[in-house]
Amino acid sequence: MRLLSWRKAKHLTGPKCRICYSSTDNRIPSQNIHITRKELSKLLHQRPPKSQLKQIHAQILAQSFSSTASFVNSLIHCYLHIKEFTSARLLFFHYPLPSPPILIWNLIIRTYCKLQNSSESFSLFRQLLNLDPLIRVHPDEYTFTFIVTSCAHQRSIVHGKIVHGLVVKNGLESNLYVGNSLINMYAVFKITDDAYKVFDKMTERDVFSWTSLVCGYANNDEMDQACEIFYKMPLRNDVSWAVIISGFAGYRRYMEVLTYLNEMLFAVEDKVRPNEAVLVCALSACANLGALEQGNWIHSYIMRNEVPNSSNISTALIDMYAKCGRIDCARLIFNRIPRPDVHNFTSMISGLSYHGLGEDSLTVFNRMLDENVNPNEVTIIGVLNACSHSGLVEEGSSIFYNMETLWGLKPQIEHYGCYVDLLGRAGYLEKALEVVKSMQVKPDIVIWRALLSACRIHRNIFLGYSIIDFIKKLNYDGPSGSEVLLSNLYASLGNWNKVSEVRKAMGQRKTQSDIGCSWIEVNGVVHEFRVADKLHPQILKVLNKLNELWIVLS
DNA sequence: TCTTGTAAAG
């Protein structure tokens, strides 16, 4: 005999309790045991774990309460709570009344909405709309909030537009929650005009409405509008700051990331602290700017404020230290992680590869495999780069050719790029060309560039020219970086007429977007310089110093 | 029962 064992049932184990279970099967209560209606509903109200829920369900069946709507509702609640969707759906489809109440529809729809890639919420919603008029229940603001959220998870806006129409028809467009989910939906699809229209029509707005709108502009590379709305917000929470900061990070505008982080730290009126997303973006900015001092400061901020040690934070710290030249610190962070996950491993492997530590990178990769952590596409890029920079051709080839069979990772164009680079650098130019020709995807300019660069290193004039001819025929209209390489190749081949020809063509087009840019961190301040910079506040001082150095050196 | 954000890549 076994009594209910979970903690919330303790009060039932006294003399009043009449639950007991058969000694042969401790899950199913024997038929002659009786629990009152009140006790059963009280038990269900406590959202019991699976084994106990099955026992209670059996009692409900045994006592013929299964046609009592309130019991079925509670059972559905409980099954959804423990994520037993099949049982919940079964109860839903055999509901004792002609239609479940809207609350139960909403709960089931919500479940599928949370599964993100499921279209099941739509089919339920369709069933709800097509109910016989005699038993009709009407979708409410909850139903629409879930359905609109489901629309935001779809590949196209088609469903979203139809649902928006229904929202208007049901007079719910200005409802706070429905409106917020609509703004979010349009933000996801980067339709900022429509997001703004919904926002504009709302009679009540909260921090979600504002943040979702800012997010829409940020997703759509409209950072000026994003900032404008951001500053108009009556109150910003940590997520609002995360949205604007991650917006800048997404467009590689790292200086702004650090500026906004700084502003956030001083935004007393918002009473916010940088959350994980903000810190991760800021660390990534430091990594890409080489801003070690700022990165160090963020690291100490994390420790001072006891920010929970998440995988994302440690991944970002490893990346920051590695990219800022402190591979020792990156290793220290990595070695302190008790059970590194795929992201931690990837960041460490890539970090070691930038430092030319190919063997170490492979050691970490092998440890990862020993610990049964599966690599992802990015991990393989890191390992291939490590092999490439350390001339580990055999190891790299074996990883490249086995990535699909061993880890189910189909080589993407990036992997081909790394592999061609690996072969090219090691001097296997013909083999590299063979790989490019055998690719199932169309080689992009990056791959040709890797090959050209290899031709330049190994001064293979013949192959270099044939690649140039090939690139010309393909008529890539990519960034002028490839033209720079082309002109460099001509230069290394001594063909100065061609060099000036290419440079002239580049000059005529004046591609503004490809202007080179570099950074340097001095006393914790990151200074950014562009070609022929006239904007830096201390440019005259910098130029004078350069002249001084020039005189000393010459 | 309801809506917002993040790392690693040639």
Side-chain angles (χ1 to χ4, degrees), chain A residues 115-128:
Chain A
L115 292 179
Q116 302 233 347
N117 51 4
S118 160
S119 59
E120 194 58 29
S121 52
F122 291 110
S123 97
L124 284 161
F125 182 58
R126 222 170 281 131
Q127 284 177 45
L128 171 66

PDB file of all heavy atoms in Angstrom, chain A residues 115-128:
ATOM      1  N   LEU A 115       5.310  26.483 -29.081  1.00  0.00           N
ATOM      2  CA  LEU A 115       6.164  25.536 -29.804  1.00  0.00           C
ATOM      3  C   LEU A 115       6.814  26.204 -31.023  1.00  0.00           C
ATOM      4  O   LEU A 115       7.559  25.578 -31.754  1.00  0.00           O
ATOM      5  CB  LEU A 115       5.373  24.300 -30.234  1.00  0.00           C
ATOM      6  CG  LEU A 115       4.917  23.392 -29.091  1.00  0.00           C
ATOM      7  CD1 LEU A 115       4.121  22.218 -29.627  1.00  0.00           C
ATOM      8  CD2 LEU A 115       6.113  22.880 -28.297  1.00  0.00           C
ATOM      9  N   GLN A 116       6.474  27.455 -31.243  1.00  0.00           N
ATOM     10  CA  GLN A 116       7.093  28.308 -32.274  1.00  0.00           C
ATOM     11  C   GLN A 116       6.912  27.845 -33.717  1.00  0.00           C
ATOM     12  O   GLN A 116       6.304  28.536 -34.494  1.00  0.00           O
ATOM     13  CB  GLN A 116       8.575  28.520 -31.984  1.00  0.00           C
ATOM     14  CG  GLN A 116       8.818  29.145 -30.640  1.00  0.00           C
ATOM     15  CD  GLN A 116       9.674  30.372 -30.705  1.00  0.00           C
ATOM     16  OE1 GLN A 116      10.300  30.662 -31.700  1.00  0.00           O
ATOM     17  NE2 GLN A 116       9.688  31.142 -29.644  1.00  0.00           N
ATOM     18  N   ASN A 117       7.491  26.694 -34.099  1.00  0.00           N
ATOM     19  CA  ASN A 117       7.433  26.368 -35.523  1.00  0.00           C
ATOM     20  C   ASN A 117       6.197  25.551 -35.895  1.00  0.00           C
ATOM     21  O   ASN A 117       6.107  25.009 -36.976  1.00  0.00           O
ATOM     22  CB  ASN A 117       8.707  25.640 -35.955  1.00  0.00           C
ATOM     23  CG  ASN A 117       8.992  24.476 -35.040  1.00  0.00           C
ATOM     24  OD1 ASN A 117       8.196  24.182 -34.154  1.00  0.00           O
ATOM     25  ND2 ASN A 117      10.111  23.810 -35.264  1.00  0.00           N
ATOM     26  N   SER A 118       5.258  25.470 -34.963  1.00  0.00           N
ATOM     27  CA  SER A 118       4.082  24.657 -35.239  1.00  0.00           C
ATOM     28  C   SER A 118       2.976  25.500 -35.869  1.00  0.00           C
ATOM     29  O   SER A 118       2.752  26.641 -35.495  1.00  0.00           O
ATOM     30  CB  SER A 118       3.590  24.049 -33.937  1.00  0.00           C
ATOM     31  OG  SER A 118       2.258  23.647 -34.070  1.00  0.00           O
ATOM     32  N   SER A 119       2.278  24.909 -36.834  1.00  0.00           N
ATOM     33  CA  SER A 119       1.153  25.639 -37.416  1.00  0.00           C
ATOM     34  C   SER A 119      -0.151  25.147 -36.793  1.00  0.00           C
ATOM     35  O   SER A 119      -1.233  25.518 -37.202  1.00  0.00           O
ATOM     36  CB  SER A 119       1.125  25.445 -38.934  1.00  0.00           C
ATOM     37  OG  SER A 119       1.021  24.075 -39.193  1.00  0.00           O
ATOM     38  N   GLU A 120      -0.004  24.284 -35.763  1.00  0.00           N
ATOM     39  CA  GLU A 120      -1.160  23.690 -35.115  1.00  0.00           C
ATOM     40  C   GLU A 120      -2.067  24.749 -34.484  1.00  0.00           C
ATOM     41  O   GLU A 120      -3.282  24.602 -34.473  1.00  0.00           O
ATOM     42  CB  GLU A 120      -0.676  22.693 -34.050  1.00  0.00           C
ATOM     43  CG  GLU A 120      -1.713  21.755 -33.502  1.00  0.00           C
ATOM     44  CD  GLU A 120      -2.382  20.890 -34.557  1.00  0.00           C
ATOM     45  OE1 GLU A 120      -1.733  20.591 -35.577  1.00  0.00           O
ATOM     46  OE2 GLU A 120      -3.560  20.550 -34.359  1.00  0.00           O
ATOM     47  N   SER A 121      -1.462  25.828 -33.975  1.00  0.00           N
ATOM     48  CA  SER A 121      -2.286  26.858 -33.334  1.00  0.00           C
ATOM     49  C   SER A 121      -3.271  27.447 -34.354  1.00  0.00           C
ATOM     50  O   SER A 121      -4.394  27.773 -34.000  1.00  0.00           O
ATOM     51  CB  SER A 121      -1.416  27.947 -32.723  1.00  0.00           C
ATOM     52  OG  SER A 121      -0.518  28.445 -33.662  1.00  0.00           O
ATOM     53  N   PHE A 122      -2.839  27.533 -35.619  1.00  0.00           N
ATOM     54  CA  PHE A 122      -3.740  28.067 -36.651  1.00  0.00           C
ATOM     55  C   PHE A 122      -4.892  27.112 -36.918  1.00  0.00           C
ATOM     56  O   PHE A 122      -6.026  27.543 -37.090  1.00  0.00           O
ATOM     57  CB  PHE A 122      -2.986  28.300 -37.968  1.00  0.00           C
ATOM     58  CG  PHE A 122      -2.008  29.410 -37.867  1.00  0.00           C
ATOM     59  CD1 PHE A 122      -0.659  29.139 -37.885  1.00  0.00           C
ATOM     60  CD2 PHE A 122      -2.438  30.717 -37.733  1.00  0.00           C
ATOM     61  CE1 PHE A 122       0.259  30.156 -37.772  1.00  0.00           C
ATOM     62  CE2 PHE A 122      -1.524  31.741 -37.624  1.00  0.00           C
ATOM     63  CZ  PHE A 122      -0.175  31.470 -37.637  1.00  0.00           C
ATOM     64  N   SER A 123      -4.573  25.812 -36.966  1.00  0.00           N
ATOM     65  CA  SER A 123      -5.657  24.881 -37.283  1.00  0.00           C
ATOM     66  C   SER A 123      -6.684  24.871 -36.147  1.00  0.00           C
ATOM     67  O   SER A 123      -7.884  24.779 -36.389  1.00  0.00           O
ATOM     68  CB  SER A 123      -5.102  23.516 -37.649  1.00  0.00           C
ATOM     69  OG  SER A 123      -5.124  22.662 -36.573  1.00  0.00           O
ATOM     70  N   LEU A 124      -6.214  25.016 -34.887  1.00  0.00           N
ATOM     71  CA  LEU A 124      -7.155  25.109 -33.764  1.00  0.00           C
ATOM     72  C   LEU A 124      -7.979  26.380 -33.853  1.00  0.00           C
ATOM     73  O   LEU A 124      -9.189  26.386 -33.626  1.00  0.00           O
ATOM     74  CB  LEU A 124      -6.386  25.084 -32.443  1.00  0.00           C
ATOM     75  CG  LEU A 124      -5.874  23.718 -32.012  1.00  0.00           C
ATOM     76  CD1 LEU A 124      -4.770  23.857 -30.989  1.00  0.00           C
ATOM     77  CD2 LEU A 124      -7.025  22.895 -31.432  1.00  0.00           C
ATOM     78  N   PHE A 125      -7.289  27.467 -34.218  1.00  0.00           N
ATOM     79  CA  PHE A 125      -7.963  28.763 -34.321  1.00  0.00           C
ATOM     80  C   PHE A 125      -9.046  28.685 -35.406  1.00  0.00           C
ATOM     81  O   PHE A 125     -10.160  29.190 -35.223  1.00  0.00           O
ATOM     82  CB  PHE A 125      -6.922  29.836 -34.674  1.00  0.00           C
ATOM     83  CG  PHE A 125      -7.474  31.226 -34.754  1.00  0.00           C
ATOM     84  CD1 PHE A 125      -8.120  31.794 -33.667  1.00  0.00           C
ATOM     85  CD2 PHE A 125      -7.330  31.983 -35.905  1.00  0.00           C
ATOM     86  CE1 PHE A 125      -8.612  33.098 -33.725  1.00  0.00           C
ATOM     87  CE2 PHE A 125      -7.812  33.289 -35.972  1.00  0.00           C
ATOM     88  CZ  PHE A 125      -8.458  33.842 -34.882  1.00  0.00           C
ATOM     89  N   ARG A 126      -8.723  28.005 -36.517  1.00  0.00           N
ATOM     90  CA  ARG A 126      -9.694  27.834 -37.603  1.00  0.00           C
ATOM     91  C   ARG A 126     -10.906  27.048 -37.091  1.00  0.00           C
ATOM     92  O   ARG A 126     -12.048  27.411 -37.352  1.00  0.00           O
ATOM     93  CB  ARG A 126      -9.028  27.106 -38.765  1.00  0.00           C
ATOM     94  CG  ARG A 126      -9.395  27.705 -40.107  1.00  0.00           C
ATOM     95  CD  ARG A 126      -8.544  27.144 -41.225  1.00  0.00           C
ATOM     96  NE  ARG A 126      -7.218  27.742 -41.282  1.00  0.00           N
ATOM     97  CZ  ARG A 126      -6.086  27.056 -41.366  1.00  0.00           C
ATOM     98  NH1 ARG A 126      -6.095  25.738 -41.369  1.00  0.00           N
ATOM     99  NH2 ARG A 126      -4.930  27.679 -41.433  1.00  0.00           N
ATOM    100  N   GLN A 127     -10.630  25.969 -36.335  1.00  0.00           N
ATOM    101  CA  GLN A 127     -11.731  25.167 -35.771  1.00  0.00           C
ATOM    102  C   GLN A 127     -12.609  26.025 -34.874  1.00  0.00           C
ATOM    103  O   GLN A 127     -13.832  25.919 -34.903  1.00  0.00           O
ATOM    104  CB  GLN A 127     -11.175  24.025 -34.944  1.00  0.00           C
ATOM    105  CG  GLN A 127     -10.635  22.877 -35.759  1.00  0.00           C
ATOM    106  CD  GLN A 127     -10.024  21.825 -34.836  1.00  0.00           C
ATOM    107  OE1 GLN A 127     -10.614  21.467 -33.823  1.00  0.00           O
ATOM    108  NE2 GLN A 127      -8.832  21.375 -35.183  1.00  0.00           N
ATOM    109  N   LEU A 128     -11.960  26.883 -34.092  1.00  0.00           N
ATOM    110  CA  LEU A 128     -12.705  27.751 -33.173  1.00  0.00           C
ATOM    111  C   LEU A 128     -13.631  28.677 -33.959  1.00  0.00           C
ATOM    112  O   LEU A 128     -14.815  28.842 -33.612  1.00  0.00           O
ATOM    113  CB  LEU A 128     -11.720  28.558 -32.331  1.00  0.00           C
ATOM    114  CG  LEU A 128     -12.265  29.673 -31.460  1.00  0.00           C
ATOM    115  CD1 LEU A 128     -13.145  29.100 -30.345  1.00  0.00           C
ATOM    116  CD2 LEU A 128     -11.142  30.477 -30.815  1.00  0.00           C
TER     117      LEU A 128
END
